[in-house]
């Protein structure tokens, strides 16, 4: 029986079929052919570690843990029509789309995590429906960047963190890793606190916030158990939890009686007041997460495709694009529901400061106690899914940047401990101070904004390199231009948020302003280095060194002539 690997990262690794991507039941390759030359040579030293350690694909696992069935219709007599560089006619199959469905839903979790829900409820309560268009277009922009990450993973067989390890020198690479890890830890704090708040609400206060943090930390390890059963079971679990969120917040939308006309107007008509700018920036900053770009480029490799055929790669990219768009559409629906419910219930009313912790109480007072339960249920689903995807992101980022040869248990223990420790301290310190939790959330959103260039710039640079992507998958100049425009717009929006937040925090403190200016200069220098790219920097240094040598040679030649004269 033909099967595919549920986790095959590197198509060159000896334990993974090198040519067709399909593996027979005895582990042999389905067909022979030349290895795809679309990879850059610098990555060759990673092949064994990537296959055996990053995704834990090793020969000591049972076949049932590595492989899932490939439908017979996917391989057969018509395989020859795929020996082109273009998708053949009638390539689409609903059955095969179902087989590719999964990674996009895991990716979409970052668009509906507790940080996003807090940004949504504050936007709705303070600005009404007028920022719904910002929500729609920020999701579209984020989706475009996610598709670039997916294309990178499919076309090269390596995810973004691995490419960064191969492309950047040691010092910049380690600095990028630290930045992304900080982003993951910050995001984890939001997600774990969100789950703990949901547990607190569902238990009617019987389980305190710090206990909810511990419960969430422990159940993150369930990820390993489900993952060991099979990646499709893991994806099914995430799909169910996303469904729970969609139903819960959809019921809230219907029960609250949100004005559908104003919702449609808010989506179709771009409007913004001076007081709403801050909330618009918060929406954009919360939706596009740096670690999520790294995650998506790795998740798409859970389908073992025929990397010897360009058309098969294009087929995979097409299916991943479709399922990612569907997943993001559902996440957009959830976010629209949350904004609309709080716009209906609290905009223009004296409701005070609303955040994640007291939102359930406000909903209960405004719409009935059942709304508190529905909100808590949706929040719990959001927190649980996002903490697990955060764990996944930490594994891929750590494994890709550092190539650590440690087991999954140890990697999860390291990444969970790094996040749970600070989160537990936060829960104990702010357990009776809702406004301070909201302030912490603002700090974390600013932190995410600061880390964003360390994902956007590498994914645009990698997918725009023909050496890395190959001529068939390198970004078209239009895609490249649109990508950089989107990235520049997102970075500019986030920069304004950081400036506004930082200026209010350091006002009247000259020593903090000096430190801030120095930090900003160093930060911008590093971002500029990444934008220029290590190859161009090295070529410039080489040309400068060559020029200096030439000048020195010319000086030696002129010296005797001057002495003689």
């Amino acid at each position: 029986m033909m099967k595919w690997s549920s986790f095959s990262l590197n198509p060159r690794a000896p334990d993974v079929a090198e040519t067709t991507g399909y593996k027979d039941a005895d582990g042999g390759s389905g067909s022979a052919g030349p290895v795809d030359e679309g990879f850059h040579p610098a990555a060759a030293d990673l092949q064994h570690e990537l296959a055996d350690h990053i995704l834990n694909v090793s020969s000591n696992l049972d076949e049932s843990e590595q492989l899932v069935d490939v439908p017979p219709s996917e391989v057969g007599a018509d395989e020859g029509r795929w020996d082109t560089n273009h998708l053949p006619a009638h390539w689409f199959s609903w059955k095969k789309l179902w087989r590719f469905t999964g990674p996009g839903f895991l990716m979409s979790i970052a668009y509906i995590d507790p940080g996003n829900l807090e940004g949504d409820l504050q936007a709705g309560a303070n600005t009404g429906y007028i920022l719904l268009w910002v929500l729609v277009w920020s999701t579209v922009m984020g989706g475009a960047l996610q598709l670039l990450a997916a294309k990178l993973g499919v076309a090269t067989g390596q995810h973004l963190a691995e490419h960064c390890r191969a492309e950047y020198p040691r010092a910049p690479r380690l600095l990028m890793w630290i930045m992304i890890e900080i982003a993951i830890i910050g995001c984890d704090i939001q997600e774990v606190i969100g789950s703990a708040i949901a547990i607190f609400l569902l238990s009617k206060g019987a389980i305190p916030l710090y206990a909810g943090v511990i419960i969430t930390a422990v159940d993150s390890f369930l990820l390993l158990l489900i993952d060991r059963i099979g990646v499709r079971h893991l994806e099914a679990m995430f799909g169910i939890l996303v469904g729970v969120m969609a139903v819960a917040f959809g019921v809230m939308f219907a029960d609250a009686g949100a004005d559908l006309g104003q919702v449609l107007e808010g989506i179709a008509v771009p409007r913004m007041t001076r007081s709403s700018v801050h909330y618009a920036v918060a929406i954009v900053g919360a939706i596009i997460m740096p670690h999520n770009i790294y995650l998506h480029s790795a998740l798409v490799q859970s389908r073992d495709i025929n990397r010897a055929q360009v058309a098969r790669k294009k087929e995979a990219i097409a299916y991943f694009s479709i399922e990612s768009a569907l997943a993001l559409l559902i996440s957009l629906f959830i976010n629209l529901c949350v904004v609309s419910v709080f716009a209906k219930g609290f905009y223009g009313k004296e409701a005070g400061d609303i955040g994640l912790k007291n939102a359930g109480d406000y909903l209960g007072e405004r719409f009935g106690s059942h709304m508190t339960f529905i909100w808590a249920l949706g929040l719990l689903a959001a927190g649980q899914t996002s903490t697990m995807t955060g764990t996944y992101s930490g594994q891929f980022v750590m494994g890709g940047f550092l190539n650590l040869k440690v087991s999954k248990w140890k990697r999860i223990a390291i990444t969970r401990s790094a996040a749970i420790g600070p989160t537990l301290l936060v829960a104990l310190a702010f357990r009776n101070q809702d406004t301070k939790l909201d302030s912490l959330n603002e700090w974390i959103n600013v932190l995410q904004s600061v880390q964003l260039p360390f994902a956007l710039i590498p994914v645009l640079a990698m997918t725009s390199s023909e050496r890395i992507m190959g001529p068939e998958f390198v970004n078209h100049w239009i895609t490249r231009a649109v990508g950089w425009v989107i990235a520049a717009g997102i970075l500019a929006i986030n920069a304004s948020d950081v400036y506004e937040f930082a200026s209010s925090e350091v006002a009247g403190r000259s020593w903090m302003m000096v430190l801030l200016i120095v930090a900003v200069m160093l930060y911008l220098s590093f971002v500029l280095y990444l934008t220029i790219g290590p190859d161009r920097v090295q070529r410039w240094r080489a040309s400068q060194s060559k020029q200096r040598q030439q000048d020195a040679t010319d000086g030696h030649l002129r010296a005797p002539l001057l002495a003689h004269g």
Side-chain angles (χ1 to χ4, degrees), residues 290-539:
H291 66 275
N292 204 42
I293 294 174
Y294 285 87
L295 175 65
H296 199 197
S297 68
L299 290 175
V300 295
Q301 295 170 45
S302 59
R303 270 59 176 176
D304 196 2
I305 64 172
N306 188 338
R307 299 189 182 278
Q309 293 178 314
V310 171
R312 284 296 188 189
K313 292 182 184 179
K314 290 187 175 181
E315 178 197 33
I317 293 171
Y319 280 122
F320 283 130
S321 299
I322 295 171
E323 68 105 16
S324 295
L326 292 174
L328 290 178
L329 190 62
I330 295 173
S331 74
L332 177 60
F333 168 76
I334 292 171
N335 286 319
L336 289 173
C337 286
V338 175
V339 174
S340 301
V341 167
F342 282 87
K344 173 67 177 180
F346 306 104
Y347 178 59
K349 302 175 177 63
E350 295 296 329
D353 294 326
I354 302 179
L356 279 181
K357 194 164 189 289
N358 59 13
D361 296 332
Y362 277 108
L363 287 170
E365 294 172 5
R366 180 70 176 83
F367 299 109
S369 58
H370 66 287
M371 289 289 269
T372 301
F373 174 80
I374 297 172
W375 166 256
L377 186 64
L379 181 60
L380 181 63
Q384 290 297 301
T385 54
S386 55
T387 53
M388 291 185 180
T389 54
T391 302
Y392 245 168
S393 300
Q395 291 183 64
F396 289 125
V397 167
M398 182 180 293
F401 275 104
L402 304 183
N403 193 31
L404 292 183
K405 301 178 181 179
V406 296
S407 66
K408 274 189 174 183
W409 283 104
K410 291 179 181 177
R411 285 201 301 272
I412 287 184
I414 293 170
T415 55
R416 286 289 85 195
S417 300
I420 296 304
T423 306
L424 193 56
L425 293 176
V426 167
L428 290 171
F430 299 157
R431 58 185 179 275
N432 296 318
Q433 304 176 57
D434 297 349
T435 56
K436 286 191 175 182
L437 278 176
D438 296 337
S439 178
L440 175 68
N441 186 67
E442 289 185 18
W443 272 98
I444 292 174
N445 284 339
V446 169
L447 181 71
Q448 297 288 341
S449 300
V450 170
Q451 314 304 334
L452 198 53
F454 308 116
L456 295 188
I457 295 174
V459 76
L460 285 168
M462 302 298 177
T463 54
S464 298
S465 170
E466 185 173 338
R467 173 176 60 84
I468 294 174
M469 298 293 292
E472 291 293 334
F473 297 99
V474 66
N475 288 340
H476 189 274
W477 70 268
I478 296 178
T479 305
R480 194 177 310 163
V482 171
W484 282 108
V485 167
I486 290 174
I490 292 170
L491 295 178
I493 291 171
N494 286 336
S496 69
D497 188 34
V498 172
Y499 173 78
E500 178 184 347
F501 186 79
S503 58
S504 64
E505 291 293 323
V506 303
R509 304 173 186 175
S510 57
W511 66 272
M512 287 187 67
M513 182 61 72
V514 171
L515 288 178
L516 179 63
I517 292 173
V518 172
V520 168
M521 291 178 64
L522 293 173
Y523 173 81
L524 292 178
S525 299
F526 188 47
V527 170
L528 180 62
Y529 167 81
L530 294 178
T531 304
I532 295 173
D535 288 345
R536 290 192 182 95
V537 171
Q538 290 176 4
R539 286 197 298 268

Side-chain angles (χ1 to χ4, degrees), residues 157-210:
Q158 294 177 314
H159 60 73
L160 183 57
E162 295 163 4
H163 281 290
C164 290
R165 180 176 183 270
E167 293 295 321
Y168 292 105
R170 180 179 178 83
R173 182 175 72 237
L174 292 178
L175 184 56
M176 288 175 65
W177 169 68
I178 292 171
M179 292 294 190
I180 299 300
E181 288 290 355
I182 290 173
I184 293 174
I185 291 172
C187 194
D188 265 349
I189 291 175
Q190 287 180 315
E191 294 157 354
V192 174
I193 289 291
S195 290
I197 290 172
I199 294 171
F200 175 84
L201 292 174
L202 290 172
S203 66
K204 297 183 178 181
I207 301 178
L209 208 60
Y210 70 87

